[in-house]
Amino acid sequence: MHRAFALVALLAAIAFPLVMQALDQVYYVTMASRILIYALAATSLNLVLGYGGMISFGHAAFVGAGAYTASVMIVEGLPSAWIGWPLAMAVSGLLALAIGAISLRTRGVYFIMITLAFAQMIYYLTISMKAYGGDEGLSLTQRSTLGFGLDLKDDLTFYYIVLAILVSAVYLISRLVNARFGRAIQAIRENETRMEAIGYPTFRFKLTTFAIAGALGGLAGALLANQNNYVSPGILHWPESGWLMIMVILGGVGHLYGGIVGAVGLLGLKQLLENYKIGWLAAMYPNYQQHSELAVGVFLLAVVLYAPQGIAGLFARRSKKHG
Amino acid sequence: MAENLLRIESLHKRFGGIVATDGVTLEVERGEVHALIGPNGAGKTTLIAQISGSLAPDAGRIVFNGADITSLPQHARVTAGLARSYQITSIFKRFSVEQNLALAVQARSGSSFGFWRPVASETALEDEARAIASQVGLAERVNAIAGSLAHAEQRSLEVGLALATNPKLLLLDEPMAGLGPDESQRMIALIHHLRESVSVLLVEHDMDAVFQLADRISVLVSGAIIATGTSGEIRANEEVRRAYLGDEITG
Amino acid sequence: MSLTLILEQSLNGLQFGLMLFLLAAGLTLVFGIMDMINLAHGSLYMVGAFLAATLVQATGSFTLGVLLSIPATAVVGMLLEVSVLRTLYARDHLSQVLATFALILIINEVVRMIWGSDMPLSAPAALSGPVQLLPGMPYSAYRLLIIGVGLAVAVLLYFVVAKTRIGMLVRAGASNREMALAMGVDIKKLFTLVFGFGAGLCAIAGALLAPIFAVQVGMGENILILAFVVIVIGGIGSIRGALVGSILVGMVDTMGRAFMPAILREVLTPTFASAAGPALASILIYVLMAGVLFWRPQGLFPARG
C-alpha cells in the first residue's frame, strides 16, 4: 500500500517542474528543491533517530560540515561536484565517526546533551573561520559543476539531480533496513542489552549507523549550499537540529518515508502560512503571517501530544488494521 | 580429564557500602547442571551479571573453557559459548518469535554488516530459528509477535534466545519465574533435555526443579558461597538449613 | 595581562556563573525529580526579563519591578506546568524535547506579539557607576549587586534544600522518585511548586542580566545550552553540582574569552592566534563538558547513587 502511494508521489514529483514551467511558475521549483534537500537531511537523521533509536540532537553539524566542504571546494577553485560532494560526505562521515565514538559511550539524556554540545562546537568553529566568511557566511559565485552538459545553475536540472539523489538514498536505505545490518540496529533500538547478550557488539553497529547518517547528512548539506549559493554558520545553530528532529517525528520515526513526509509537511506548512493569506484570520490579526512560527509550534505540540507516531505512523497503523 | 568448563576465582563486587559478591569461588563441570540457590538479596543475579560480562567485578578471575575471560566484553563471551537468560523477560517484543531467534542465529553465522541482501531471503537463518522454536515448545507460535505471547511462552522464548547462540554453558536466571505447576514441569523437562548438549548454571528458587535437575548445588548467602555439593549433601548441611532451606525440605 | 584585569575577569566570571546557577538550579531540579528535559526553561528566563522590563517601567522603580517579576514569572511557569508540561512527565525524552521545543516557538511568538522583539531595561542610576574595590581597581557597582544577589540566593537555596522539610522532599524526589511517591508525598503539588520556584529563579537571572545582555526575543536559546552544559557537568538533580558547575562554566567561559587570544599570541603566530583564539575560547566549555563526561559520566555530584 505504501509502495503504491510512493510511486504516485514519485511520478508527481517528476511531473511537477514540467507543470510549473508550463504555468510559468518556476519559482516553485526552487522551493521544491529546497524541500527535497531537507527531506534528504531528515531521512538521514531518521536512520539514526528512527531506526537506530539514538536521539542525536546535533545532526545539523553534519549537514553544516557537508555544506561548508562543498562551498570551500567551489571557492578554492575545485567546483566539480564529483570531487566536492563525495568529499562533503567523507568529511561529514568522518566527523560523525569521531563525534559518535565519544558520544555513544554515554546514554539517555547525556547522549542528547553531548551531541548537542558537539554541534555547538562545530557551530562556533565555523563562526571563527574568518577565511570563509566567519559569522557573515560565504557567498558562492557559482554552483558545483557536473559536466555531461548538465548545468546545475538551471533550476530544473538542479531539481532533477536533487530528486535523483533523494530517490537513490531512500532506495539504499530501504535495502539497508531490511538487510542484516538494518535488522540488527532495529533490534538494538528495541532491546540493546539483550543484543549484547546474544553476541552483538552493539557499539560498532550504532557507530556505523551514526557515521552513515552523518555522511548522508553531509550530502544534503552540499546540496543545500548549492541551492542557496550561500553557506553560513546559521545552518549549524542548535535549533536547526531541532527542526530536523521535528521533521522526522512529524513524518514518522522509523518509517522509510518518514523524513520525506516530515520535510514536505513542515516546510510546506510554513510556506503555506507565509504565502497565503487566510482572509478571516487576516481581518482579525493583520500581521498574523509574521508569526507563522506560532502556528507551527502549536501544530507540532499537538502532534507530539496526540499523534506520537507522526503522520506516516498514522498511515502505518491504519494499514495494519486492514491486514 | 573432566576439566571444569567454568571456574570463578575469588570474585569480589561492592556497591558503595554493600558487598554484593564476597570472594565467590565456584566451578561448573562439563556436562553438569549446577544449581545456584540462596535467599533473596544473596547476590545471585549480580553474580550472573559478572559471569556473563555485563558487570565488571572489582577483583577476581573468571576462566571459561580454559581461557581467562575476566576482561572480555559480554558479546565476546557469547561468541566463546557463554550465554545467559534473564530473570525478568528480556526479549524483542515487536519482533516475531522466529525473528527473535533468527537474531541470535544471525549473530553467529557470518557478519551482520550486510547492507544489501534482505534478511528475509536467508532461509538458513529461518530454518534454524524454527528448529530452536520447536526445541523450546514454540513451534506453533513462530510467527506470533513476541509481545503478544503468554507469560509462560515468553519464558520459553527467553531460554530459547540464549539457546540459539549455540552455547557451551547456559546461565539460566530463574527460568521458572512466574510459571504455574504445569508450565514449570515443561520447563524442567526442557532443561533436562538440554543437558545432553549444553552445561547449565541454574539460578532458581523453585526447590522442586533444583532437586530434580541439579547434579550439584551451590548455596549463596550474603554474597558468599557457604556450601557446594550434591543435593543430598546440601539437604543435610546444617548451615544451609539454618541460612536458607529451613522448612522447605521437610515439607 | 595585569593582576587587575585578571581579578576583574574573575569577578565577571563569578557574576555570570552565579546567574547561570539560577537557571541551572531550576533546570536540574525539574530534570532530577520529574525526569523531564525542558527546553522551554530558557523561555521562562526571557519571559522574566520582559516582565521585569515592563514592571520597572510601570512602577518606575528598578527594585520593585524586578521583585514583582519573580512571582509573576512563577505564576506563568506554574500555569505552563499545569496545562502542558504535566502531560509530558510520563512521555519519553524525545517527545519531551520536541514538545518543549514547540513551546519555545510558541512562547517566542507570543512574547513578540505582546511586547515586540525587544524592550529596554537599564541598570538603576544609583548603580551605574563604578566602585573602588581596591586602589586602582574600579568595578561596576551593578555587577557587584548581581554577585551579591546570586550569593544570597545560593545561600537561601542551600538553606531551603538542606534544612527545611520541603527541601528534604525535593531531595528525596530527586534521588528516588518512586520511593518519594511511596512515602505519600503529594507529587503533583510538589512538582508544580518546584516548577514555579524554578521559574522565579529564571526571572531573577533574566531581570538582573537584562541590562548587560539586552532583553530580546530568542535570548533564552543561547543561555539554555549553557545551563544544560552546567547540569551535565554538575550532575543531574544536584543543586550542589549546579552551583559548582555554573561557577566553573562561568569562569572558564569568561576567562577563556578574555585571555585565550592573548595566551595563544605568546605561543603562536599572530595571524593564527587571532583566528584560533576566539574559536578555542568559545568551545572551551564544551571541551570541559566532554572531558567531565568522559571521566565521570554521571557528572561531578550525581544526585542518584
Side-chain angles (χ1 to χ4, degrees), chain A residues 102-133:
Chain A
I102 302 176
S103 311
L104 286 167
R105 302 214 180 265
T106 62
R107 284 292 146 89
V109 65
Y110 296 101
F111 176 74
I112 303 175
M113 287 302 122
I114 202 171
T115 53
L116 182 57
F118 273 119
Q120 283 294 94
M121 264 200 247
I122 311 292
Y123 168 66
Y124 284 116
L125 235 90
T126 55
I127 289 180
S128 69
M129 291 195 321
K130 295 287 189 285
Y132 296 115

PDB file of all heavy atoms in Angstrom, chain A residues 102-133:
ATOM      1  N   ILE A 102      32.829   9.205  20.723  1.00  0.00           N
ATOM      2  CA  ILE A 102      32.806   9.728  22.084  1.00  0.00           C
ATOM      3  C   ILE A 102      31.383   9.735  22.646  1.00  0.00           C
ATOM      4  O   ILE A 102      31.117   9.244  23.745  1.00  0.00           O
ATOM      5  CB  ILE A 102      33.370  11.168  22.127  1.00  0.00           C
ATOM      6  CG1 ILE A 102      34.782  11.184  21.576  1.00  0.00           C
ATOM      7  CG2 ILE A 102      33.348  11.706  23.544  1.00  0.00           C
ATOM      8  CD1 ILE A 102      35.395  12.567  21.492  1.00  0.00           C
ATOM      9  N   SER A 103      30.442  10.262  21.871  1.00  0.00           N
ATOM     10  CA  SER A 103      29.077  10.416  22.364  1.00  0.00           C
ATOM     11  C   SER A 103      28.405   9.093  22.698  1.00  0.00           C
ATOM     12  O   SER A 103      27.675   8.986  23.691  1.00  0.00           O
ATOM     13  CB  SER A 103      28.214  11.139  21.334  1.00  0.00           C
ATOM     14  OG  SER A 103      28.844  12.296  20.876  1.00  0.00           O
ATOM     15  N   LEU A 104      28.632   8.086  21.861  1.00  0.00           N
ATOM     16  CA  LEU A 104      27.917   6.831  22.050  1.00  0.00           C
ATOM     17  C   LEU A 104      28.361   6.069  23.287  1.00  0.00           C
ATOM     18  O   LEU A 104      27.807   5.023  23.613  1.00  0.00           O
ATOM     19  CB  LEU A 104      28.035   5.954  20.796  1.00  0.00           C
ATOM     20  CG  LEU A 104      27.174   6.448  19.639  1.00  0.00           C
ATOM     21  CD1 LEU A 104      27.546   5.770  18.335  1.00  0.00           C
ATOM     22  CD2 LEU A 104      25.693   6.236  19.933  1.00  0.00           C
ATOM     23  N   ARG A 105      29.378   6.594  23.956  1.00  0.00           N
ATOM     24  CA  ARG A 105      29.768   5.976  25.230  1.00  0.00           C
ATOM     25  C   ARG A 105      28.842   6.437  26.347  1.00  0.00           C
ATOM     26  O   ARG A 105      28.914   5.943  27.459  1.00  0.00           O
ATOM     27  CB  ARG A 105      31.219   6.332  25.572  1.00  0.00           C
ATOM     28  CG  ARG A 105      32.170   5.899  24.485  1.00  0.00           C
ATOM     29  CD  ARG A 105      33.520   5.467  24.996  1.00  0.00           C
ATOM     30  NE  ARG A 105      34.373   5.067  23.880  1.00  0.00           N
ATOM     31  CZ  ARG A 105      34.513   3.807  23.478  1.00  0.00           C
ATOM     32  NH1 ARG A 105      33.870   2.843  24.084  1.00  0.00           N
ATOM     33  NH2 ARG A 105      35.288   3.531  22.453  1.00  0.00           N
ATOM     34  N   THR A 106      27.981   7.409  26.031  1.00  0.00           N
ATOM     35  CA  THR A 106      27.041   7.873  27.043  1.00  0.00           C
ATOM     36  C   THR A 106      25.639   7.394  26.708  1.00  0.00           C
ATOM     37  O   THR A 106      25.382   6.918  25.611  1.00  0.00           O
ATOM     38  CB  THR A 106      27.025   9.414  27.107  1.00  0.00           C
ATOM     39  OG1 THR A 106      26.583   9.926  25.841  1.00  0.00           O
ATOM     40  CG2 THR A 106      28.401   9.948  27.405  1.00  0.00           C
ATOM     41  N   ARG A 107      24.746   7.529  27.675  1.00  0.00           N
ATOM     42  CA  ARG A 107      23.383   7.053  27.495  1.00  0.00           C
ATOM     43  C   ARG A 107      22.374   8.155  27.728  1.00  0.00           C
ATOM     44  O   ARG A 107      22.689   9.194  28.282  1.00  0.00           O
ATOM     45  CB  ARG A 107      23.087   5.941  28.517  1.00  0.00           C
ATOM     46  CG  ARG A 107      23.709   4.626  28.180  1.00  0.00           C
ATOM     47  CD  ARG A 107      23.098   3.998  26.946  1.00  0.00           C
ATOM     48  NE  ARG A 107      24.070   3.255  26.179  1.00  0.00           N
ATOM     49  CZ  ARG A 107      24.359   1.974  26.368  1.00  0.00           C
ATOM     50  NH1 ARG A 107      23.725   1.306  27.292  1.00  0.00           N
ATOM     51  NH2 ARG A 107      25.255   1.380  25.633  1.00  0.00           N
ATOM     52  N   GLY A 108      21.161   7.867  27.308  1.00  0.00           N
ATOM     53  CA  GLY A 108      19.998   8.686  27.645  1.00  0.00           C
ATOM     54  C   GLY A 108      20.202  10.164  27.391  1.00  0.00           C
ATOM     55  O   GLY A 108      20.617  10.590  26.324  1.00  0.00           O
ATOM     56  N   VAL A 109      19.896  10.940  28.425  1.00  0.00           N
ATOM     57  CA  VAL A 109      19.919  12.385  28.259  1.00  0.00           C
ATOM     58  C   VAL A 109      21.331  12.906  28.068  1.00  0.00           C
ATOM     59  O   VAL A 109      21.541  13.916  27.397  1.00  0.00           O
ATOM     60  CB  VAL A 109      19.240  13.063  29.462  1.00  0.00           C
ATOM     61  CG1 VAL A 109      20.039  12.794  30.731  1.00  0.00           C
ATOM     62  CG2 VAL A 109      19.156  14.548  29.242  1.00  0.00           C
ATOM     63  N   TYR A 110      22.321  12.204  28.638  1.00  0.00           N
ATOM     64  CA  TYR A 110      23.702  12.635  28.448  1.00  0.00           C
ATOM     65  C   TYR A 110      24.084  12.567  26.979  1.00  0.00           C
ATOM     66  O   TYR A 110      24.801  13.431  26.467  1.00  0.00           O
ATOM     67  CB  TYR A 110      24.654  11.784  29.285  1.00  0.00           C
ATOM     68  CG  TYR A 110      24.435  11.946  30.769  1.00  0.00           C
ATOM     69  CD1 TYR A 110      23.731  10.996  31.489  1.00  0.00           C
ATOM     70  CD2 TYR A 110      24.924  13.062  31.439  1.00  0.00           C
ATOM     71  CE1 TYR A 110      23.520  11.144  32.842  1.00  0.00           C
ATOM     72  CE2 TYR A 110      24.717  13.217  32.794  1.00  0.00           C
ATOM     73  CZ  TYR A 110      24.026  12.259  33.495  1.00  0.00           C
ATOM     74  OH  TYR A 110      23.802  12.409  34.830  1.00  0.00           O
ATOM     75  N   PHE A 111      23.597  11.548  26.297  1.00  0.00           N
ATOM     76  CA  PHE A 111      23.885  11.418  24.876  1.00  0.00           C
ATOM     77  C   PHE A 111      23.287  12.591  24.115  1.00  0.00           C
ATOM     78  O   PHE A 111      23.937  13.208  23.268  1.00  0.00           O
ATOM     79  CB  PHE A 111      23.318  10.098  24.339  1.00  0.00           C
ATOM     80  CG  PHE A 111      23.487   9.934  22.862  1.00  0.00           C
ATOM     81  CD1 PHE A 111      24.728   9.651  22.321  1.00  0.00           C
ATOM     82  CD2 PHE A 111      22.408  10.071  21.996  1.00  0.00           C
ATOM     83  CE1 PHE A 111      24.895   9.504  20.955  1.00  0.00           C
ATOM     84  CE2 PHE A 111      22.562   9.924  20.631  1.00  0.00           C
ATOM     85  CZ  PHE A 111      23.815   9.632  20.107  1.00  0.00           C
ATOM     86  N   ILE A 112      22.026  12.913  24.437  1.00  0.00           N
ATOM     87  CA  ILE A 112      21.374  14.039  23.780  1.00  0.00           C
ATOM     88  C   ILE A 112      22.194  15.301  23.985  1.00  0.00           C
ATOM     89  O   ILE A 112      22.459  16.051  23.045  1.00  0.00           O
ATOM     90  CB  ILE A 112      19.945  14.254  24.343  1.00  0.00           C
ATOM     91  CG1 ILE A 112      19.113  12.987  24.186  1.00  0.00           C
ATOM     92  CG2 ILE A 112      19.276  15.420  23.658  1.00  0.00           C
ATOM     93  CD1 ILE A 112      17.739  13.072  24.808  1.00  0.00           C
ATOM     94  N   MET A 113      22.607  15.538  25.217  1.00  0.00           N
ATOM     95  CA  MET A 113      23.334  16.756  25.538  1.00  0.00           C
ATOM     96  C   MET A 113      24.697  16.817  24.869  1.00  0.00           C
ATOM     97  O   MET A 113      25.122  17.865  24.395  1.00  0.00           O
ATOM     98  CB  MET A 113      23.518  16.864  27.060  1.00  0.00           C
ATOM     99  CG  MET A 113      22.256  17.206  27.791  1.00  0.00           C
ATOM    100  SD  MET A 113      21.585  18.760  27.194  1.00  0.00           S
ATOM    101  CE  MET A 113      19.972  18.224  26.665  1.00  0.00           C
ATOM    102  N   ILE A 114      25.386  15.684  24.863  1.00  0.00           N
ATOM    103  CA  ILE A 114      26.736  15.742  24.313  1.00  0.00           C
ATOM    104  C   ILE A 114      26.707  15.901  22.800  1.00  0.00           C
ATOM    105  O   ILE A 114      27.560  16.577  22.220  1.00  0.00           O
ATOM    106  CB  ILE A 114      27.587  14.535  24.783  1.00  0.00           C
ATOM    107  CG1 ILE A 114      29.061  14.864  24.665  1.00  0.00           C
ATOM    108  CG2 ILE A 114      27.273  13.277  24.040  1.00  0.00           C
ATOM    109  CD1 ILE A 114      29.977  13.844  25.290  1.00  0.00           C
ATOM    110  N   THR A 115      25.712  15.339  22.119  1.00  0.00           N
ATOM    111  CA  THR A 115      25.614  15.559  20.673  1.00  0.00           C
ATOM    112  C   THR A 115      25.292  17.022  20.399  1.00  0.00           C
ATOM    113  O   THR A 115      25.799  17.616  19.456  1.00  0.00           O
ATOM    114  CB  THR A 115      24.530  14.662  20.028  1.00  0.00           C
ATOM    115  OG1 THR A 115      23.300  14.826  20.712  1.00  0.00           O
ATOM    116  CG2 THR A 115      24.945  13.211  20.030  1.00  0.00           C
ATOM    117  N   LEU A 116      24.445  17.584  21.237  1.00  0.00           N
ATOM    118  CA  LEU A 116      24.110  18.998  21.132  1.00  0.00           C
ATOM    119  C   LEU A 116      25.357  19.846  21.320  1.00  0.00           C
ATOM    120  O   LEU A 116      25.624  20.782  20.557  1.00  0.00           O
ATOM    121  CB  LEU A 116      23.074  19.328  22.208  1.00  0.00           C
ATOM    122  CG  LEU A 116      22.518  20.741  22.277  1.00  0.00           C
ATOM    123  CD1 LEU A 116      21.893  21.141  20.974  1.00  0.00           C
ATOM    124  CD2 LEU A 116      21.495  20.823  23.391  1.00  0.00           C
ATOM    125  N   ALA A 117      26.137  19.498  22.320  1.00  0.00           N
ATOM    126  CA  ALA A 117      27.345  20.261  22.621  1.00  0.00           C
ATOM    127  C   ALA A 117      28.355  20.197  21.479  1.00  0.00           C
ATOM    128  O   ALA A 117      28.948  21.206  21.112  1.00  0.00           O
ATOM    129  CB  ALA A 117      27.976  19.742  23.899  1.00  0.00           C
ATOM    130  N   PHE A 118      28.549  19.015  20.925  1.00  0.00           N
ATOM    131  CA  PHE A 118      29.484  18.890  19.808  1.00  0.00           C
ATOM    132  C   PHE A 118      29.037  19.742  18.626  1.00  0.00           C
ATOM    133  O   PHE A 118      29.842  20.378  17.957  1.00  0.00           O
ATOM    134  CB  PHE A 118      29.615  17.430  19.370  1.00  0.00           C
ATOM    135  CG  PHE A 118      30.645  16.670  20.143  1.00  0.00           C
ATOM    136  CD1 PHE A 118      30.302  15.558  20.894  1.00  0.00           C
ATOM    137  CD2 PHE A 118      31.977  17.058  20.121  1.00  0.00           C
ATOM    138  CE1 PHE A 118      31.251  14.859  21.607  1.00  0.00           C
ATOM    139  CE2 PHE A 118      32.933  16.359  20.830  1.00  0.00           C
ATOM    140  CZ  PHE A 118      32.573  15.253  21.575  1.00  0.00           C
ATOM    141  N   ALA A 119      27.723  19.737  18.368  1.00  0.00           N
ATOM    142  CA  ALA A 119      27.217  20.542  17.261  1.00  0.00           C
ATOM    143  C   ALA A 119      27.497  22.016  17.521  1.00  0.00           C
ATOM    144  O   ALA A 119      27.881  22.759  16.615  1.00  0.00           O
ATOM    145  CB  ALA A 119      25.721  20.304  17.077  1.00  0.00           C
ATOM    146  N   GLN A 120      27.319  22.444  18.759  1.00  0.00           N
ATOM    147  CA  GLN A 120      27.613  23.826  19.107  1.00  0.00           C
ATOM    148  C   GLN A 120      29.088  24.130  18.900  1.00  0.00           C
ATOM    149  O   GLN A 120      29.464  25.208  18.447  1.00  0.00           O
ATOM    150  CB  GLN A 120      27.258  24.103  20.581  1.00  0.00           C
ATOM    151  CG  GLN A 120      25.783  24.268  20.842  1.00  0.00           C
ATOM    152  CD  GLN A 120      25.223  25.508  20.174  1.00  0.00           C
ATOM    153  OE1 GLN A 120      24.714  25.429  19.053  1.00  0.00           O
ATOM    154  NE2 GLN A 120      25.298  26.638  20.831  1.00  0.00           N
ATOM    155  N   MET A 121      29.941  23.166  19.204  1.00  0.00           N
ATOM    156  CA  MET A 121      31.374  23.341  18.994  1.00  0.00           C
ATOM    157  C   MET A 121      31.670  23.632  17.541  1.00  0.00           C
ATOM    158  O   MET A 121      32.406  24.562  17.213  1.00  0.00           O
ATOM    159  CB  MET A 121      32.115  22.065  19.411  1.00  0.00           C
ATOM    160  CG  MET A 121      32.658  22.088  20.794  1.00  0.00           C
ATOM    161  SD  MET A 121      33.934  20.853  20.934  1.00  0.00           S
ATOM    162  CE  MET A 121      33.150  19.738  22.063  1.00  0.00           C
ATOM    163  N   ILE A 122      31.105  22.812  16.656  1.00  0.00           N
ATOM    164  CA  ILE A 122      31.338  22.994  15.221  1.00  0.00           C
ATOM    165  C   ILE A 122      30.774  24.338  14.778  1.00  0.00           C
ATOM    166  O   ILE A 122      31.356  25.045  13.961  1.00  0.00           O
ATOM    167  CB  ILE A 122      30.693  21.860  14.394  1.00  0.00           C
ATOM    168  CG1 ILE A 122      31.057  20.496  14.972  1.00  0.00           C
ATOM    169  CG2 ILE A 122      31.095  21.939  12.938  1.00  0.00           C
ATOM    170  CD1 ILE A 122      32.513  20.137  14.827  1.00  0.00           C
ATOM    171  N   TYR A 123      29.621  24.688  15.350  1.00  0.00           N
ATOM    172  CA  TYR A 123      28.998  25.978  15.044  1.00  0.00           C
ATOM    173  C   TYR A 123      29.958  27.121  15.350  1.00  0.00           C
ATOM    174  O   TYR A 123      30.215  27.977  14.498  1.00  0.00           O
ATOM    175  CB  TYR A 123      27.711  26.101  15.854  1.00  0.00           C
ATOM    176  CG  TYR A 123      27.077  27.473  15.886  1.00  0.00           C
ATOM    177  CD1 TYR A 123      26.556  28.049  14.726  1.00  0.00           C
ATOM    178  CD2 TYR A 123      26.965  28.177  17.080  1.00  0.00           C
ATOM    179  CE1 TYR A 123      25.948  29.299  14.763  1.00  0.00           C
ATOM    180  CE2 TYR A 123      26.364  29.420  17.120  1.00  0.00           C
ATOM    181  CZ  TYR A 123      25.860  29.976  15.963  1.00  0.00           C
ATOM    182  OH  TYR A 123      25.264  31.210  16.010  1.00  0.00           O
ATOM    183  N   TYR A 124      30.512  27.123  16.547  1.00  0.00           N
ATOM    184  CA  TYR A 124      31.421  28.192  16.923  1.00  0.00           C
ATOM    185  C   TYR A 124      32.711  28.153  16.108  1.00  0.00           C
ATOM    186  O   TYR A 124      33.310  29.176  15.837  1.00  0.00           O
ATOM    187  CB  TYR A 124      31.735  28.130  18.426  1.00  0.00           C
ATOM    188  CG  TYR A 124      30.613  28.645  19.274  1.00  0.00           C
ATOM    189  CD1 TYR A 124      29.945  27.821  20.159  1.00  0.00           C
ATOM    190  CD2 TYR A 124      30.190  29.972  19.156  1.00  0.00           C
ATOM    191  CE1 TYR A 124      28.903  28.295  20.921  1.00  0.00           C
ATOM    192  CE2 TYR A 124      29.142  30.445  19.906  1.00  0.00           C
ATOM    193  CZ  TYR A 124      28.494  29.605  20.793  1.00  0.00           C
ATOM    194  OH  TYR A 124      27.457  30.078  21.529  1.00  0.00           O
ATOM    195  N   LEU A 125      33.099  26.952  15.730  1.00  0.00           N
ATOM    196  CA  LEU A 125      34.284  26.829  14.898  1.00  0.00           C
ATOM    197  C   LEU A 125      34.065  27.518  13.557  1.00  0.00           C
ATOM    198  O   LEU A 125      34.941  28.223  13.055  1.00  0.00           O
ATOM    199  CB  LEU A 125      34.597  25.348  14.669  1.00  0.00           C
ATOM    200  CG  LEU A 125      36.014  24.941  15.058  1.00  0.00           C
ATOM    201  CD1 LEU A 125      36.032  24.511  16.509  1.00  0.00           C
ATOM    202  CD2 LEU A 125      36.526  23.817  14.181  1.00  0.00           C
ATOM    203  N   THR A 126      32.899  27.311  12.957  1.00  0.00           N
ATOM    204  CA  THR A 126      32.651  27.924  11.652  1.00  0.00           C
ATOM    205  C   THR A 126      32.560  29.446  11.765  1.00  0.00           C
ATOM    206  O   THR A 126      32.948  30.165  10.855  1.00  0.00           O
ATOM    207  CB  THR A 126      31.358  27.395  11.006  1.00  0.00           C
ATOM    208  OG1 THR A 126      30.269  27.584  11.900  1.00  0.00           O
ATOM    209  CG2 THR A 126      31.481  25.930  10.651  1.00  0.00           C
ATOM    210  N   ILE A 127      32.044  29.922  12.897  1.00  0.00           N
ATOM    211  CA  ILE A 127      31.995  31.375  13.093  1.00  0.00           C
ATOM    212  C   ILE A 127      33.400  31.944  13.125  1.00  0.00           C
ATOM    213  O   ILE A 127      33.639  33.049  12.638  1.00  0.00           O
ATOM    214  CB  ILE A 127      31.259  31.723  14.411  1.00  0.00           C
ATOM    215  CG1 ILE A 127      29.772  31.450  14.285  1.00  0.00           C
ATOM    216  CG2 ILE A 127      31.489  33.188  14.786  1.00  0.00           C
ATOM    217  CD1 ILE A 127      28.983  31.767  15.520  1.00  0.00           C
ATOM    218  N   SER A 128      34.333  31.167  13.674  1.00  0.00           N
ATOM    219  CA  SER A 128      35.678  31.693  13.806  1.00  0.00           C
ATOM    220  C   SER A 128      36.499  31.537  12.535  1.00  0.00           C
ATOM    221  O   SER A 128      37.617  32.021  12.451  1.00  0.00           O
ATOM    222  CB  SER A 128      36.391  30.992  14.961  1.00  0.00           C
ATOM    223  OG  SER A 128      36.616  29.647  14.598  1.00  0.00           O
ATOM    224  N   MET A 129      35.954  30.859  11.525  1.00  0.00           N
ATOM    225  CA  MET A 129      36.692  30.672  10.275  1.00  0.00           C
ATOM    226  C   MET A 129      36.581  31.925   9.418  1.00  0.00           C
ATOM    227  O   MET A 129      35.831  31.968   8.446  1.00  0.00           O
ATOM    228  CB  MET A 129      36.169  29.445   9.511  1.00  0.00           C
ATOM    229  CG  MET A 129      36.497  28.151  10.207  1.00  0.00           C
ATOM    230  SD  MET A 129      36.292  26.652   9.185  1.00  0.00           S
ATOM    231  CE  MET A 129      34.849  26.950   8.231  1.00  0.00           C
ATOM    232  N   LYS A 130      37.350  32.939   9.796  1.00  0.00           N
ATOM    233  CA  LYS A 130      37.255  34.216   9.084  1.00  0.00           C
ATOM    234  C   LYS A 130      37.556  34.073   7.598  1.00  0.00           C
ATOM    235  O   LYS A 130      37.025  34.794   6.769  1.00  0.00           O
ATOM    236  CB  LYS A 130      38.221  35.226   9.709  1.00  0.00           C
ATOM    237  CG  LYS A 130      37.895  35.612  11.132  1.00  0.00           C
ATOM    238  CD  LYS A 130      36.667  36.531  11.179  1.00  0.00           C
ATOM    239  CE  LYS A 130      36.445  37.125  12.567  1.00  0.00           C
ATOM    240  NZ  LYS A 130      35.890  36.165  13.512  1.00  0.00           N
ATOM    241  N   ALA A 131      38.430  33.161   7.266  1.00  0.00           N
ATOM    242  CA  ALA A 131      38.821  32.993   5.868  1.00  0.00           C
ATOM    243  C   ALA A 131      37.641  32.597   4.995  1.00  0.00           C
ATOM    244  O   ALA A 131      37.603  32.865   3.804  1.00  0.00           O
ATOM    245  CB  ALA A 131      39.917  31.946   5.761  1.00  0.00           C
ATOM    246  N   TYR A 132      36.654  31.953   5.612  1.00  0.00           N
ATOM    247  CA  TYR A 132      35.487  31.535   4.855  1.00  0.00           C
ATOM    248  C   TYR A 132      34.223  32.219   5.352  1.00  0.00           C
ATOM    249  O   TYR A 132      33.166  31.616   5.461  1.00  0.00           O
ATOM    250  CB  TYR A 132      35.342  30.012   4.904  1.00  0.00           C
ATOM    251  CG  TYR A 132      36.497  29.317   4.226  1.00  0.00           C
ATOM    252  CD1 TYR A 132      37.375  28.530   4.961  1.00  0.00           C
ATOM    253  CD2 TYR A 132      36.724  29.472   2.857  1.00  0.00           C
ATOM    254  CE1 TYR A 132      38.455  27.916   4.336  1.00  0.00           C
ATOM    255  CE2 TYR A 132      37.796  28.853   2.230  1.00  0.00           C
ATOM    256  CZ  TYR A 132      38.665  28.079   2.981  1.00  0.00           C
ATOM    257  OH  TYR A 132      39.732  27.472   2.365  1.00  0.00           O
ATOM    258  N   GLY A 133      34.371  33.488   5.647  1.00  0.00           N
ATOM    259  CA  GLY A 133      33.180  34.279   5.918  1.00  0.00           C
ATOM    260  C   GLY A 133      32.865  34.507   7.376  1.00  0.00           C
ATOM    261  O   GLY A 133      32.164  35.449   7.713  1.00  0.00           O
TER     262      GLY A 133
END
